[in-house]
Every structure is written in structure tokens, then in C-alpha cells.
Amino acid sequence: GDSVTQTEGPVTLSEGTSLTVNCSYETKQYPTLFWYVQYPGEGPQLLFKVPKANEKGSNRGFEATYNKEATSFHLQKASVQESDSAVYYCALGVNSAGNKLTFGIGTRVLVRP
Amino acid sequence: DAGVTQTPRHEVAEKGQTIILKCEPVSGHNDLFWYRQTKIQGLELLSYFRSKSLMEDGGAFKDRFKAEMLNSSFSTLKIQPTEPKDSAVYLCASSLGGGLYEQYFGPGTRLTVL
């Protein structure tokens, strides 16, 4: 079946430093890839999605490139802020599954001022 | 537009009780999902409805978990009987449908089973 593996957290870093959260996926189909973010006390919300291989998605300074050859979709931000502290989920969806998504386990990111 | 609404936000139950969690999806959305969220397992899909029809009922959760869509704007998740290992956050999400649209999540219900 489909699966998503991402960086084990928590990831702790200081404001102004760069962030990378690794995400690798497995599927026999052609996926659309997603990054979701969850702030304390809220449900996850979409950060961005990328439906096509070798394209980049971005939002709020975060970006990720859908690398089909490496089956990866790593999340990056050049300079994090304290407000970026959250749990980040990588997910994949395939057409045969309708709108069902396969989520990674989530990576908690803590940004210290 | 209103987002996904979940009630209650917090629930405390004694072992063996029956609890019912409620969800109102975004108006006009055709797909509805129930998830269980824990730190160890992350997000686990419990149920998936499309236009009120049950598309997937998470195998490991079939015994004591039952989700229903009474109409297109209301869903319930019943856990019967509850066990301490059911303590988790239960999230409801909805989506337009039609193929890989964004899922909109509610704030979740935090369940504690004593």
C-alpha cells in the first residue's frame, strides 16, 4: 500500500535558521503531494500541494519540490520564526483513492526566539 | 463560510461508556473523513464518506467505532464501549470531492477515557 515517511521530531531550532523536514513516499501510482501544518489547538490546514512531478509548491516562505526520481518531497524554509512552531504533515493522494490521503506521522517543529 | 465544526471540544468518559462525537462539514462538501490523532500513530483514518455513502471503514477500528452521516451536513462517530486506549484527539475533515481536493479539518475533540 501507499506510505509516507518523514523526519522524526521534535526538531528544535532557533529563529532565523533554516528548516528542512524530509519526506519520502511509496506508491505504485502517480500521486499528488501535500504539506499540511497544525498549530496548537487547531486541526491541520493545507500549506500547499503539488500535483505534478518536478514542480515546486510554496506558501508562507515554505517550499517543497516534488522529486519523482527520488520519491521525495522535502519541506524547506530559509529563515524560521517562532510562529512557525507547529506539527508538519506530509501526505499523498492518488486518484484511485478518491480524496483519501495517506499522511506521514507528523514532525513537531519548535522554534526558539 | 463556516469551517468544519466539531462538538464537543473535550469529552471525558468512564471505561465502558458510549460516547458520540459530532461533526458538521463545510457546506457543499461531498466527502467527509474521521481521523484519530495520537502522538505515536499520527493521523489514522477511521471512516471516509462520499456523498453520504461509506467508502472506507478503517479495518482496525470496526469493532467499537461506528461513523454515520445522517444527512449531507451532519455526521456522528460513536465509540461503544470506550476503553482507555481510545484516549486521543478525533478529527473530522471535509472536502469538495471529485479528486484530490484540499481537506478542511475541524478543531478536533479531545477524548479522555478513564
Side-chain angles (χ1 to χ4, degrees):
Chain A
D2 300 336
S3 67
V4 176
T5 304
Q6 59 182 105
T7 300
E8 187 173 330
V11 173
T12 304
L13 55 166
S14 299
E15 261 190 330
T17 59
S18 64
L19 169 70
T20 298
V21 179
N22 290 332
C23 172
S24 299
Y25 64 90
E26 285 188 28
T27 179
K28 293 183 179 179
Q29 301 182 62
Y30 193 82
T32 290
L33 300 174
F34 302 77
W35 276 104
Y36 278 79
V37 58
Q38 184 178 24
Y39 300 106
E42 301 180 9
Q45 57 184 269
L46 182 68
L47 194 53
F48 55 82
K49 71 176 185 181
V50 179
K52 291 184 180 178
N54 302 320
E55 290 195 351
K56 179 187 290 186
S58 63
N59 188 16
R60 306 184 210 171
F62 291 89
E63 62 181 32
T65 299
Y66 177 163
N67 187 326
K68 184 181 177 185
E69 288 70 34
T71 61
S72 67
F73 192 51
H74 305 321
L75 181 69
Q76 296 179 310
K77 187 173 187 182
S79 177
V80 295
Q81 301 173 326
E82 192 175 359
S83 57
D84 294 325
S85 296
V87 178
Y88 293 83
Y89 288 95
C90 183
L92 73 84
V94 294
N95 283 327
S96 63
N99 279 349
K100 189 180 77 168
L101 299 179
T102 300
F103 285 89
I105 199 159
T107 301
R108 183 173 299 274
V109 173
L110 302 171
V111 180
R112 293 181 173 165
Chain B
D1 286 340
V4 176
T5 303
Q6 291 188 248
T7 55
R9 293 295 309 274
H10 301 274
E11 179 80 62
V12 179
E14 297 283 340
K15 179 182 173 181
Q17 271 187 289
T18 295
I19 62 102
I20 297 176
L21 309 181
K22 304 177 181 71
C23 173
E24 294 177 36
V26 174
S27 178
H29 280 190
N30 294 312
D31 287 4
L32 186 138
F33 306 84
W34 282 99
Y35 293 91
R36 183 172 79 171
Q37 183 180 42
T38 61
K39 287 184 179 178
I40 296 174
Q41 299 292 340
L43 289 166
E44 299 173 280
L45 181 67
L46 300 175
S47 294
Y48 167 25
F49 292 89
R50 166 161 288 176
S51 301
K52 300 188 293 181
S53 296
L54 183 63
M55 303 298 291
E56 185 161 331
D57 197 359
F61 299 96
K62 279 183 179 177
D63 285 345
R64 298 180 297 108
F65 292 72
K66 184 176 177 63
E68 291 183 310
M69 279 208 77
L70 306 183
N71 55 56
S72 60
S73 58
F74 186 69
S75 177
T76 60
L77 175 66
K78 179 190 290 186
I79 308 176
Q80 178 184 33
T82 53
E83 298 182 4
K85 65 181 180 180
D86 299 331
S87 297
V89 174
Y90 291 83
L91 291 162
C92 177
S94 68
S95 177
L96 268 173
L100 298 177
Y101 286 100
E102 173 182 354
Q103 289 188 18
Y104 293 77
F105 284 81
T109 296
R110 181 173 293 279
L111 173 65
T112 302
V113 182
L114 305 176

